[in-house]
Amino acid sequence: MDCAWIRLGWVDRISMSVIVGVVILLCTPVPGSGHEEKPEGNDLCGMKCSCRATIVRCFELVHFPKFFPQNTTKIYFEQLVTELLPADAFKSIPMVKTIEFSRSNIGRIAGCAFDGLPYLEDLYMVRTVIGSIATMAVSNIAPSASVVMQYVTVTTLETAAFSHLTNLTIFQIGNCTVHEMEPNAFSGISNVEKGFIITTTRLLDFNGPFLDDMQSVGKIVFTENTMGSFPCLALDSLVSPVNQLTISDNNINCTCVKLGTGDHLTEDEYVKKQLMKSMCVGLEASEKMTVSERLAKSSCKQTKCASFQSREVSRLSCKPERARPDDPNPNYYDGNAGNTSPIALQTLSLLILASLLFILT
């Protein structure tokens, strides 16, 4: 038999194999193109999560799940470690009433992370470390809900991180540490039945006001906190008697670089009078005095408070945020999954096919 015919037959078989392989590739749905099969939420209920009736408890998860059992009404995370709590994180369980994080480490809570939860009653964060809480991360949640943070450390609290919260039962931050707080981190909060409460919390670095449009909150308690700075217009939105204010036993950094002039906190005389009774920190151990006494005795250079321009909170919106893919399990959130265009993959396949046919012919 002629060797040329043998070679040709061999080439034909290779060519057909290549063609068949490429056709199969082109006809296979591209992951992330809208054809991904949704895994069952019950897949969570194994070694890391327990599910009893409508209650889910998860321990030591190293990813945030995409899906949960659809009938979930209460979900507890203990020692969760995740880079990102994404927008609409709990959209798959709209009936959820309680969400709790304890002893967890969360890199970032994205904007609108808790949106779409009309029955939410309790949002708790306890003994948890959070890198940043994004603008509108906690916003538009159900009326009568309680938002409580206890023993939480936050690196950055962004503008309007807590915003558009109406008719809450209580909003409370206690025994927490916030390293950096952007202006108006709390904005558009109104009608809180048991009060907007910040107590025994360290606010280390913030500039400008941190409350905005809160005249209708009702009761505001700001006590036993330590402020690392004495910023311009810090409490300018606190107005009495519109609000029922309790401001007492706070500690303020009274070193020269942090003190400012002391007359730019607020235009409200009641608020200013209460803050002037706060105690100074950052002085010599033997010195104990109120802010008012410190200002009277201070030789610090008086500097004028610069005006503050706030971003218009009504125009703020949630931004899509992505996490790095580090696990192939489709039941866990991967913000980068599905970003490769199906058209791009098919074009690449055609180019490979054309190149192989050219070589073989």
Side-chain angles (χ1 to χ4, degrees):
M1 183 181 293
D2 194 330
C3 291
W5 285 103
I6 295 175
R7 287 196 299 272
L8 180 59
W10 177 76
V11 169
D12 286 342
R13 287 194 294 271
I14 294 295
S15 300
M16 288 302 297
S17 298
V18 171
I19 293 172
V20 171
V22 173
V23 169
I24 292 173
L25 175 63
L26 292 175
C27 294
T28 301
V30 179
S33 62
H35 302 287
E36 179 183 342
E37 183 179 352
K38 177 179 176 180
E40 293 296 329
N42 288 326
D43 290 348
L44 282 175
C45 304
M47 293 180 63
K48 295 292 185 179
C49 296
S50 65
C51 303
R52 293 186 178 181
T54 61
I55 301 174
V56 178
R57 299 180 183 273
C58 295
F59 305 89
E60 300 181 344
L61 289 181
V62 293
H63 301 275
F64 186 78
K66 273 186 180 180
F67 308 109
F68 305 91
Q70 290 187 350
N71 65 343
T72 300
T73 59
K74 297 182 179 181
I75 186 162
Y76 301 89
F77 296 95
E78 186 170 344
Q79 298 186 57
L80 168 69
V81 178
T82 185
E83 178 186 348
L84 178 67
L85 194 66
D88 299 320
F90 301 93
K91 192 174 183 179
S92 63
I93 47 173
M95 301 298 291
V96 70
K97 294 182 179 180
T98 299
I99 300 173
E100 179 177 317
F101 301 89
S102 64
R103 296 191 297 164
S104 296
N105 194 317
I106 303 171
R108 180 172 176 79
I109 300 179
C112 296
F114 300 97
D115 264 21
L117 305 177
Y119 302 102
L120 185 65
E121 296 176 357
D122 300 299
L123 173 58
Y124 294 130
M125 301 180 190
V126 183
R127 299 188 185 279
T128 290
V129 177
I130 303 171
S132 59
I133 302 180
T135 295
M136 298 186 73
V138 183
S139 64
N140 301 311
I141 64 175
S144 301
S146 297
V147 178
V148 177
M149 298 173 64
Q150 292 281 352
Y151 299 98
V152 173
T153 298
V154 181
T155 301
T156 304
L157 196 58
E158 296 184 5
T159 295
F162 299 92
S163 63
H164 302 96
L165 301 175
T166 304
N167 298 320
L168 296 182
T169 296
I170 190 171
F171 184 100
Q172 183 174 14
I173 295 178
N175 298 290
C176 295
T177 298
V178 180
H179 288 272
E180 179 182 5
M181 186 159 57
E182 294 184 357
N184 293 332
F186 309 97
S187 180
I189 301 175
S190 60
N191 301 321
V192 184
E193 179 185 349
K194 295 183 180 179
F196 177 93
I197 303 169
I198 301 180
T199 59
T200 55
T201 290
R202 299 169 65 211
L203 307 171
L204 299 182
D205 185 15
F206 64 107
N207 293 293
F210 68 90
L211 304 174
D212 178 62
D213 189 25
M214 294 184 63
Q215 284 79 2
S216 61
V217 169
K219 180 181 179 181
I220 296 179
V221 177
F222 188 78
T223 61
E224 300 183 64
N225 300 295
T226 299
M227 300 188 350
S229 58
F230 200 11
C232 296
L233 308 175
L235 300 174
D236 196 51
S237 290
L238 292 180
V239 179
S240 181
V242 177
N243 298 122
Q244 300 176 30
L245 296 178
T246 302
I247 304 175
S248 62
D249 301 316
N250 293 294
N251 299 297
I252 298 177
N253 190 333
C254 290
T255 56
C256 283
V257 70
K258 298 292 185 180
L259 185 59
T261 62
D263 60 0
H264 56 264
L265 283 170
T266 176
E267 295 180 356
D268 186 84
E269 290 300 320
Y270 173 82
V271 176
K272 185 184 295 185
K273 182 178 179 181
Q274 296 303 309
L275 287 172
M276 289 300 113
K277 296 178 181 179
S278 297
M279 297 302 297
C280 284
V281 295
L283 303 175
E284 295 294 332
S286 59
E287 293 185 274
K288 290 185 179 180
M289 61 182 71
T290 65
V291 173
S292 179
E293 292 170 338
R294 172 64 171 167
L295 286 170
K297 299 178 180 180
S298 174
S299 59
C300 299
K301 182 180 178 180
Q302 302 295 298
T303 57
K304 186 176 181 180
C305 182
S307 61
F308 172 77
Q309 298 295 326
S310 175
R311 287 192 286 169
E312 190 172 341
V313 174
S314 62
R315 295 186 178 182
L316 298 177
S317 61
C318 305
K319 297 179 180 179
E321 301 183 35
R322 306 187 185 280
R324 290 190 298 270
D326 47 15
D327 194 299
N329 190 332
N331 200 31
Y332 292 98
Y333 176 76
D334 174 5
N336 283 334
N339 285 338
T340 305
S341 167
I343 296 176
L345 286 176
Q346 292 177 351
T347 301
L348 178 62
S349 301
L350 288 173
L351 289 174
I352 293 173
L353 173 60
S355 300
L356 288 172
L357 290 176
F358 177 77
I359 293 171
L360 293 173
T361 55

